[in-house]
Amino acid sequence: GNSVTQMEGPVTLSEEAFLTINCTYTATGYPSLFWYVQYPGEGLQLLLKATKADDKGSNKGFEATYRKETTSFHLEKGSVQVSDSAVYFCALSDDLAGNMLTFGGGTRLMVKP
Amino acid sequence: NAGVTQTPKFRVLKTGQSMTLLCAQDMNHEYMYWYRQDPGMGLRLIHYSVGEGTTAKGEVPDGYNVSRLKKQNFLLGLESAAPSQTSVYFCASTSGWGVGSYEQYFGPGTRLTVT
């Protein structure tokens, strides 16, 4: 079956530091890959997505590249802000019936001023 | 346009009690989902629906039932609550399926505690 593995948190950074959150996946076929973000007390929001190998998703300064050869989709940001503090989830969809998402365990990011 | 709403936001149940969680979406989405979120485990799919009148089991369906009588509503029922069902429950919806990526829109969540 499908699975997603993320680095465990919490990740604690100072403002303006570089961020990497690792994500690897196991799937049959050619899944679409996503990063969702959950701010405190809220539901999940789509941050970025990539639908095929070598695609780069980007949004709000965050980027992730779909690497089929390493089955990875690592999230990066060059300079984090306090407002980026949240829980980040990597997910995949195999585009089969139901378009179900398989989530990683989530990584909590804490950014200190 | 409210998006996805969930009722109630918080609930405390005693073991053996029953309740229904309501999810409503106003985006005319075909697909709807119920997830539970537990610490360190991400979100796990309980049940989902691909259209009005249809439901299907997800990864962790035991102890839950669902109904989709109207396209805009998806109900999650707990017939006899157990402490293991203490969790945060999220509803989500999406427009359809196929090759590509259809964003799931999430509600704000329901925090359920079973004592």
Side-chain angles (χ1 to χ4, degrees):
Chain A
N2 298 335
S3 68
V4 177
T5 303
Q6 298 180 227
M7 59 189 292
E8 291 191 16
V11 173
T12 304
L13 296 173
S14 297
E15 210 165 20
E16 299 185 0
F18 185 86
L19 168 71
T20 300
I21 300 178
N22 292 336
C23 171
T24 57
Y25 68 90
T26 302
T28 55
Y30 303 95
S32 296
L33 301 175
F34 307 83
W35 277 100
Y36 278 81
V37 58
Q38 183 181 30
Y39 297 104
E42 299 183 8
L44 280 69
Q45 305 172 24
L46 180 65
L47 180 61
L48 54 83
K49 64 186 178 187
T51 60
K52 60 183 186 296
D54 300 325
D55 268 2
K56 177 184 284 188
S58 61
N59 186 25
K60 299 181 181 179
F62 291 90
E63 293 183 340
T65 301
Y66 189 146
R67 301 288 188 198
K68 189 172 184 297
E69 64 275 12
T70 56
T71 61
S72 65
F73 193 54
H74 304 322
L75 182 68
E76 296 181 337
K77 186 175 185 182
S79 176
V80 295
Q81 305 299 314
V82 172
S83 57
D84 294 327
S85 298
V87 181
Y88 292 82
F89 293 93
C90 186
L92 70 82
S93 171
D94 57 14
D95 291 326
L96 298 178
N99 200 35
M100 290 175 283
L101 289 172
T102 300
F103 287 91
T107 302
R108 181 177 298 278
L109 170 66
M110 299 171 61
V111 181
K112 296 183 176 180
Chain B
N1 187 336
V4 180
T5 57
Q6 293 182 231
T7 308
K9 288 186 169 53
F10 303 94
R11 187 70 185 268
V12 178
L13 287 180
K14 293 184 178 179
T15 298
Q17 288 185 321
S18 63
M19 76 164 294
T20 300
L21 283 66
L22 171 64
C23 174
Q25 53 92 5
D26 61 3
M27 296 173 283
N28 201 36
H29 283 169
E30 288 293 336
Y31 286 19
M32 297 186 74
Y33 311 84
W34 275 107
Y35 296 92
R36 59 177 289 171
Q37 182 181 29
D38 301 295
M41 301 185 73
L43 276 73
R44 293 181 292 168
L45 183 65
I46 305 171
H47 286 280
Y48 66 100
S49 168
V50 299
E52 182 178 316
T54 74
T55 62
K57 294 180 179 179
E59 180 185 356
V60 288
D62 293 343
Y64 305 95
N65 56 75
V66 288
S67 63
R68 183 104 181 265
L69 299 180
K70 294 183 178 180
K71 185 177 183 179
Q72 64 268 33
N73 296 336
F74 195 28
L75 278 63
L76 178 70
L78 287 74
E79 290 186 349
S80 179
S84 60
Q85 294 177 304
T86 294
S87 188
V88 181
Y89 292 86
F90 286 99
C91 177
S93 69
T94 190
S95 57
W97 69 280
V99 175
S101 57
Y102 286 87
E103 176 181 355
Q104 288 193 16
Y105 293 80
F106 284 80
T110 296
R111 184 173 296 276
L112 174 65
T113 301
V114 183
T115 61

